[in-house]
Amino acid sequence: MKLILLGAPGAGKGTVAKLLTKLDDSVQISTGDILRSAVAAGTELGKQAQSAMRAGDLVSDDLIMSIMEERLQEDDCKSGYLLDGFPRTIPQAEALKKLLDRMGEKLDAAVEIDVARDVILERLTTRRTCTGCGAIYNIKSNPTKIDGVCDKCGESVVQRDDENEKAISNRLNVYNDQTAPLVSFYKNEGLLLSINATSSDTVINIIKEKIN
Ligand code: ADP
Ligand code: ZN
């Protein structure tokens, strides 16, 4: 499968992407995870991205496109990919379109996961993320077995830097201003699959039904 996952922060893009990787050989590509690893490792890329991320702003389109041009040409992408958090702006969507044309590839769909704002806010404030493998937990609905320790890899599970109230509200505004326009973009491309569901399993079932 070659899918784009669209949706506000907290809509469940990461969770859905992880579940979809179990259906075939597609890989999850999360620009947020790539950037967070770069920040944690203190690389040049991480240094360039850190302040925008902490504030809940977007990092530059040029930076993202240079990461993604390389990533999408790696071997593991041949069997499919689930783009989680990319593209995020119209210029990124246009650049992706050109890149895929050049590579002779076609997307199966751009899936919009549409979740109500109050559900999103609740999820983001209670969400915790593994610093090792990126696994997502929730202190209320899906806690780790041992407090603060990832069930899967044993690394520490923390609240993200950008999951304080101010950065969350900024991320939601940034989504509405810069990313929501992608819904019309992909509708025009004939690729949009819009799903209104809060359960990741429901989202997966609809994707399975509509794609193939
Ligand atoms: P969210 O849960 O908000 O969807 P992500 O993990 O996808 O968060 O992204 C975290 C941060 O990384 C964003 O707030 C932004 O600063 C940066 N980022 C991730 N993907 C992109 C992108 N495609 N374009 C610009 N910035 C990005
Ligand atoms: Zn982990």
Side-chain angles (χ1 to χ4, degrees):
M1 264 184 290
K2 292 187 172 128
L3 296 184
I4 291 173
L5 296 165
L6 288 172
K13 299 181 297 290
T15 306
V16 165
K18 281 196 177 67
L19 290 169
L20 288 171
T21 60
K22 297 185 181 148
L23 300 181
D24 61 16
D25 289 331
S26 308
V27 288
Q28 174 187 13
I29 303 179
S30 157
T31 42
D33 285 349
I34 294 172
L35 293 169
R36 275 186 292 279
S37 312
V39 170
T43 64
E44 192 49 42
L45 166 66
K47 285 182 193 137
Q48 288 177 42
Q50 189 165 26
S51 61
M53 289 178 75
R54 192 174 282 155
D57 290 326
L58 295 182
V59 310
S60 77
D61 290 335
D62 287 347
L63 199 66
I64 294 289
M65 288 317 303
S66 70
I67 297 172
M68 289 306 290
E69 277 212 42
E70 255 181 49
R71 184 66 189 90
L72 286 170
Q73 301 193 48
E74 282 172 32
D75 275 350
D76 61 349
C77 288
K78 298 239 155 43
S79 37
Y81 39 76
L82 310 156
L83 304 183
D84 158 16
F86 169 85
R88 207 70 155 227
T89 64
I90 293 283
Q92 289 178 23
E94 276 163 353
L96 174 65
K97 188 179 169 185
K98 285 198 191 119
L99 175 63
L100 294 178
D101 279 348
R102 258 185 284 143
M103 294 170 66
E105 288 186 12
K106 262 183 62 127
L107 295 167
D108 294 305
V111 177
E112 181 205 11
I113 309 172
D114 183 14
V115 175
R117 191 182 167 99
D118 54 335
V119 177
I120 296 264
L121 277 174
E122 164 74 15
R123 274 189 192 167
L124 289 177
T125 47
T126 52
R127 176 156 90 173
R128 298 293 181 270
T129 307
C130 174
T131 53
C133 70
I136 294 160
Y137 296 91
N138 185 290
I139 51 171
K140 290 191 180 161
S141 59
N142 176 30
T144 52
K145 291 197 183 83
I146 303 165
D147 198 28
V149 179
C150 181
D151 295 351
K152 300 187 178 89
C153 78
E155 289 293 318
S156 58
V157 171
V158 300
Q159 182 161 32
R160 274 167 42 180
D161 250 10
D162 60 354
E163 286 182 347
N164 58 70
E165 208 175 318
K166 197 165 157 213
I168 289 173
S169 119
N170 191 39
R171 279 160 63 207
L172 293 174
N173 291 337
V174 167
Y175 180 79
N176 288 332
D177 294 347
Q178 305 203 54
T179 310
L182 296 188
V183 172
S184 317
F185 179 95
Y186 287 110
K187 195 169 185 184
N188 289 333
E189 298 281 309
L191 285 171
L192 186 69
L193 170 58
S194 194
I195 304 177
N196 178 274
T198 47
S199 138
S200 304
D201 291 331
T202 309
V203 174
I204 299 290
N205 286 333
I206 297 174
I207 293 173
K208 274 202 255 180
E209 198 181 290
K210 297 276 159 95
I211 291 163
N212 302 315

